[in-house]
Amino acid sequence: MALAIATMMTSAATGTAGAAQRSGLFLCQSSVFRVANQVWIQANPPETPCTDDAKATDRQDITLFGTYRVQSSVIDARTDQKPNVLTSASPAAGDLANSSARLASIRVTGPGLLIEFGAVHADAAVTCLAGGDGLVPSFSARSTIVTLRVNGTPVVDLTGPVIIPLPVGTLRLNQTTTTATSLARHAAVWDTPFVDLILGEAKVSIAPSDGSPCRA
């Protein structure tokens, strides 16, 4: 019995010693639609910590404010972390958290309004890269909108941040919100007098603010 107990204690100690310690965590989350606190098709809802997750559906049809209809097809939201378990390995270059939201098409209809998107993508990542003082987290993001028509008129400029006046509110494309420890990329935001509709949201961050998943 004493030998068994000693063996168990040795195994536990070895497991603890072998675990890689990091001073922070990756966080990640992505969603296809978000209006205030209401979300449709979301990957890794807890956000903390980041973990591999995927949600998908062929079609989504929602009604906003009892007046506007949002229809979309081939919807996919994903989150990914490398390594899958942070304590399974010591910090290394290329460790990352990634989130993405993709839609094949979106159609928004209502009184005096028709918005037609073709192929919308939003991606955000935080990656451990070599810096002057060891590994540091580096944030990156991108979003693409292949085609867009507003009330039948094609929108030509779809690169970079774009603001388009609408009969109700404004449409903001390729928007990025950053802090020292977080990044959120929005493919499109319909900013209305009532509330914002976010189409394609990808978010990544690190926690705590004084730590880093890229360092032991």
Side-chain angles (χ1 to χ4, degrees), residues 119-140:
V120 175
H121 296 175
D123 297 275
V126 52
T127 308
C128 295
L129 299 179
D133 188 26
L135 294 175
V136 295
S138 176
F139 291 89
S140 61

Side-chain angles (χ1 to χ4, degrees), residues 136-171:
V136 295
S138 176
F139 291 89
S140 61
R142 67 184 180 92
S143 57
T144 59
I145 299 171
V146 175
T147 61
L148 174 62
R149 298 172 68 91
V150 177
N151 288 340
T153 302
V155 177
V156 177
D157 184 8
L158 296 174
T159 61
V162 179
I163 298 178
I164 303 169
L166 298 177
V168 178
T170 58
L171 186 63

Side-chain angles (χ1 to χ4, degrees), residues 23-48:
S23 62
L25 298 173
F26 288 125
L27 287 66
C28 64
Q29 187 182 83
S30 65
S31 56
V32 174
F33 302 112
R34 182 162 64 82
V35 179
N37 293 325
Q38 191 169 6
V39 181
W40 293 264
I41 315 300
Q42 186 175 67
N44 195 33
E47 189 173 356
T48 307

Side-chain angles (χ1 to χ4, degrees), residues 54-65:
K55 298 291 190 301
T57 187
D58 288 337
R59 297 187 179 279
Q60 186 75 45
D61 193 338
I62 62 178
T63 300
L64 298 176
F65 323 127

